[in-house]
Amino acid sequence: CHICNEGPKTILHCLRDCREAQALWKAFPPSLAENIFFGTNLMDWLRLNCQTNKLPSSLSFNWGIIFPFGLWTLWLRRNNFIFQNSGLPRNLRDKVISRATEFAHLSISAKFVRS
């Protein structure tokens, strides 16, 4: 892993098991029990998290919206670090919330737009 120099360079490690990725997920915390969230295979992990409708305590939209933006933010950060030699930003939780909020606002607003 280019980020932590510890784990294997797999998708699951990059998006969940790397200590840097775990720091992001624990900052919310995820809506699933920790042993399920950090203990399932890749496909089950993606499916379970994308399909949940639970609301994290401090946010106004569900985990099924936040989770994909967490994945996207981690992936962009990893690629920027590897390919552009950028540093590792520490405000990932804020970036995830900002992106998810923008998406939620635009998707809700789009329902009310008339052609």
Side-chain angles (χ1 to χ4, degrees):
C1 176
H2 293 286
I3 303 292
C4 70
N5 294 315
E6 294 174 4
K9 199 166 37 171
T10 64
I11 292 173
L12 192 56
H13 178 80
C14 293
L15 299 177
R16 185 192 72 189
D17 297 336
C18 177
R19 70 173 179 257
E20 295 288 329
Q22 286 185 5
L24 171 65
W25 298 125
K26 289 178 180 180
F28 280 105
S31 62
L32 300 170
E34 191 169 314
N35 65 328
I36 294 171
F37 186 86
F38 291 109
T40 57
N41 66 52
L42 176 63
M43 295 308 291
D44 289 341
W45 182 66
L46 292 171
R47 183 180 44 77
L48 287 169
N49 282 284
C50 286
Q51 291 178 348
T52 186
N53 290 323
K54 292 184 180 177
L55 287 171
S57 59
S58 62
L59 301 172
S60 60
F61 39 89
N62 69 43
W63 183 250
I65 292 175
I66 295 169
F67 179 73
F69 284 99
L71 296 175
W72 183 240
T73 301
L74 287 168
W75 189 250
L76 290 176
R77 179 188 69 159
R78 176 192 177 277
N79 289 339
N80 287 336
F81 179 75
I82 294 170
F83 300 114
Q84 297 179 4
N85 296 321
S86 65
L88 293 174
R90 296 291 173 202
N91 60 347
L92 288 186
R93 184 179 190 276
D94 293 342
K95 284 186 179 196
V96 170
I97 291 170
S98 174
R99 289 174 174 152
T101 301
E102 180 180 12
F103 170 80
H105 176 73
L106 292 174
S107 66
I108 291 169
S109 297
K111 292 177 186 177
F112 301 108
V113 174
R114 294 180 184 209
S115 24

